[in-house]
Amino acid sequence: VSAPVVGVDVGGTKVLAGVVSPDGRVTRRALAGTPGRRVPASLVEDALVAVVGEVADGLTPAAVGVAAAGFVDAGGERVMFAPHLPWAGEEVRSVLARRLGCAVVLENDATCAAVAEAEHGVARGARSAVVVTLGTGIGGAVLLEGRAWRGAHGMAGEFGHMQVVPDGRPCECGRVGCWEQYCSGHALVRYVQDRLAESTSPLAVTGRQDPGRITGPAVTAAAAAGDPLALAAFASVGSWLGLGLANLVAALDPDLLVVGGGVSDAGDLLLAPARARLAASLAGGDRTTREGAPVRAVPALLAAGLGPEAGLVGAAVLARRV
Amino acid sequence: VSAPVVGVDVGGTKVLAGVVSPDGRVTRRALAGTPGRRVPASLVEDALVAVVGEVADGLTPAAVGVAAAGFVDAGGERVMFAPHLPWAGEEVRSVLARRLGCAVVLENDATCAAVAEAEHGVARGARSAVVVTLGTGIGGAVLLEGRAWRGAHGMAGEFGHMQVVPDGRPCECGRVGCWEQYCSGHALVRYVQDRLAESTSPLAVTGRQDPGRITGPAVTAAAAAGDPLALAAFASVGSWLGLGLANLVAALDPDLLVVGGGVSDAGDLLLAPARARLAASLAGGDRTTREGAPVRAVPALLAAGLGPEAGLVGAAVLARRV
């Protein structure tokens, strides 16, 4: 038995580890709850070491990749800031390498998910792609020549905090009008909650009885069943998705657009309005040459292929390269 | 005498050619008026061939780079669309190569200006930079590892059509709320024109007598002399500049930001409000680690170094690489 390569996704609620095969399959899994944000950082590291030990089944891993829900510095050494984790500048990578006894790679979780799509998912073979991860907020990455562009300080791909509305909704980041306030799982749920009183849809009836039942998966299920309020919520979030993607296409002109994260489980309920808004929002998208050819192509917009394990798979891909 | 490398900038009003030395200096120049938009494309090509012949002084150039104010396709062969030129899909590069008898490189003018800054200007040595050119509208380019990222279809860097205001000002591109409607030479002039009736500033008095005297250079001169309305116009355009740059920094986290084009002649009148808005608009920009270090650095924002000849210099840089 050769030493396994392990990927770990450290999120705000759970720490998920998996042994990842060279072809990107997750062959063993282990899970723990995240100890919280207002605890010593060592408790998160304890949980991480425990799930890696469990999944590696007594073997020392060949390498471990850690996908962290936070800003990772340019050197891949520290988590500079994480809204739901205790890390705030600690040297996470070297601490874990010492404790795990193997090479450790540390990377932002959305960047890991994009790497997974480039290596084993829908972005395989694409020269360039913009990958957007729609969860509670927006994560993302820019893939160029199959690699994630990390930026000067490791902070590229923070698409969620591009401002789309001046004087818009307040954001947890302290500013206003950020894209993720209009396009995210949180925005989807809020769209419904803001209309519970006025709507006669079945979802609104449910929500008036118990607002806690208005969750992202519940809105997705209701939309799939034809609920008008849920469909309107996806039309809104999808339209904002297309608008923000058009801004990224104007800047970067990528070959491909990929949308992952929990909200993308809704498939075309989300992507159809996004594609329509994207096509309508591209400068030059409605022009043709003298010979009638389109001046610019609208890039394909695809749902991510790897699901909720994309983060840990991508972390393992990066670990395997070390 | 060795064969010269020539750069040509083909804009909406003039065709400017220059012999460019290996160290980026323009040693000879020739100029012609642009024949117009609603003329046969061959007339623009005639003007271009004439100024190249004049500047090359009887020699066949070693190579010619053409910086065009329009969308250039991925292959660098065609100008797909240009608001002020007759080209609409013609094979400009090969036609010119045949007529000039030498290698020709065709590239978007703002991309050429960015290449010039990377090779001979303020972006020299920077691993990555976002270069914004503020003229009538906004052009731009993303420099990665010293090269311009051209995009899947040659259309990266069209920053001016990123939407910053939903339901905002109509744009020539057919959409609304585009960044260049708030941040450009055109926006600067319009800011003043919209306030001529209400302002008591000297510039407003001038403008009430003759609105045609409200030009970009006139607003810049007035601002430098302390005119309150002109200063307010730069505060507005500069603030929108900082906001749009913050969006690009969120996406790309570049090492450096560079602003060129005619509006940037105003220097800190433009850049000081831009820097303030940029710093205030970056998510994480106001956070520190547990040890008190900033979570993220605000990239430096510099004025371009090469002035109005940056386009032709960059075109020559690209031609020299062929």
Side-chain angles (χ1 to χ4, degrees), chain A residues 37 39 41 71 78-81 86-90 127-128 142-145 149-159 161-166 172-175 240 243 246-256 277 279-291 293-299, chain B residues 37 39 41 71 78-81 86-90 127-128 142-145 149-159 161-166 172-175 240 243 246-256 277 279-291 293-299:
Chain A
R37 182 180 177 195
V39 299
F71 282 5
R78 300 163 185 261
V79 177
M80 300 302 282
F81 166 69
W87 291 320
E90 282 82 359
R127 192 174 153 242
S128 61
V142 178
L143 295 172
L144 300 176
E145 317 288 0
W149 170 254
R150 302 195 69 249
H153 315 92
M155 291 173 190
E158 290 291 336
F159 307 139
H161 299 289
M162 299 174 81
Q163 189 189 77
V164 293
V165 181
E172 288 78 9
C173 79
R175 275 146 288 269
W240 281 108
L243 182 280
N247 283 351
L248 290 165
V249 170
L252 292 168
D253 184 21
D255 292 82
L256 182 64
R277 182 73 181 273
S281 302
L282 281 183
D286 48 5
R287 292 186 192 272
T288 56
T289 65
R290 217 177 297 286
E291 293 156 359
V295 161
R296 72 175 303 154
V298 180
Chain B
R37 184 180 175 193
V39 298
F71 281 6
R78 301 163 186 262
V79 177
M80 301 302 282
F81 166 69
W87 291 319
E90 283 81 0
R127 193 175 152 239
S128 61
V142 179
L143 295 172
L144 300 175
E145 316 288 0
W149 169 255
R150 302 195 68 249
H153 314 91
M155 291 174 191
E158 291 291 336
F159 307 138
H161 300 289
M162 300 174 79
Q163 190 189 77
V164 294
V165 182
E172 288 78 9
C173 79
R175 276 146 288 269
W240 281 109
L243 182 279
N247 283 350
L248 289 166
V249 171
L252 292 167
D253 184 22
D255 293 80
L256 182 64
R277 182 71 180 274
S281 303
L282 282 183
D286 48 3
R287 291 185 192 274
T288 56
T289 66
R290 215 177 298 285
E291 293 156 0
V295 160
R296 72 175 305 154
V298 180

Side-chain angles (χ1 to χ4, degrees), chain B residues 297-310:
Chain B
V298 180
L301 169 54
L302 303 181
L306 292 173
E309 293 184 334

Side-chain angles (χ1 to χ4, degrees), chain B residues 45 66 77-79 87 90-97 106:
Chain B
E45 291 148 19
V66 177
E77 181 60 44
R78 301 163 186 262
V79 177
W87 291 319
E90 283 81 0
E91 295 189 344
V92 173
R93 194 204 59 76
S94 57
V95 166
L96 291 173
L106 175 68

Side-chain angles (χ1 to χ4, degrees), chain B residues 4-98:
Chain B
V5 172
V6 175
V8 193
D9 193 333
V10 184
T13 57
K14 60 184 190 289
V15 181
L16 178 64
V19 172
V20 181
S21 68
D23 61 351
R25 284 176 306 113
V26 181
T27 57
R28 288 174 58 90
R29 292 166 181 81
L31 180 69
T34 304
R37 184 180 175 193
R38 302 187 183 285
V39 298
S42 61
L43 289 190
V44 175
E45 291 148 19
D46 291 346
L48 194 151
V49 170
V51 292
V52 171
E54 186 183 342
V55 84
D57 200 20
L59 296 171
T60 298
V64 172
V66 177
F71 281 6
V72 174
D73 70 355
E77 181 60 44
R78 301 163 186 262
V79 177
M80 301 302 282
F81 166 69
H84 307 296
L85 295 168
W87 291 319
E90 283 81 0
E91 295 189 344
V92 173
R93 194 204 59 76
S94 57
V95 166
L96 291 173
R98 188 166 38 75

Side-chain angles (χ1 to χ4, degrees), chain A residues 71-240:
Chain A
F71 282 5
V72 174
D73 70 354
E77 180 60 43
R78 300 163 185 261
V79 177
M80 300 302 282
F81 166 69
H84 307 296
L85 295 168
W87 291 320
E90 282 82 359
E91 295 189 343
V92 173
R93 195 205 58 78
S94 58
V95 167
L96 290 173
R98 188 165 38 75
R99 291 189 60 179
L100 291 166
C102 67
V104 170
V105 174
L106 175 68
E107 183 52 284
N108 169 267
D109 55 354
T111 303
C112 288
V115 166
E117 294 296 334
E119 193 81 6
H120 299 296
V122 297
R124 192 163 37 173
R127 192 174 153 242
S128 61
V130 166
V131 183
V132 172
T133 302
L134 294 186
T136 307
I138 296 181
V142 178
L143 295 172
L144 300 176
E145 317 288 0
R147 301 284 167 128
W149 170 254
R150 302 195 69 249
H153 315 92
M155 291 173 190
E158 290 291 336
F159 307 139
H161 299 289
M162 299 174 81
Q163 189 189 77
V164 293
V165 181
D167 305 316
R169 293 179 191 154
C171 183
E172 288 78 9
C173 79
R175 275 146 288 269
V176 302
C178 293
W179 188 23
E180 70 179 33
Q181 293 303 318
Y182 302 85
C183 177
S184 62
H186 184 71
L188 185 76
V189 166
R190 187 168 49 190
Y191 184 98
V192 172
Q193 286 176 333
D194 285 351
R195 288 159 182 81
L196 287 182
E198 71 201 46
S199 171
T200 57
S201 81
L203 184 64
V205 173
T206 301
R208 283 195 293 268
Q209 289 164 355
D210 180 1
R213 287 172 65 190
I214 306 298
T215 63
V219 179
T220 301
D227 184 275
L229 179 57
L231 287 169
F234 272 105
S236 171
V237 169
S239 179
W240 281 108

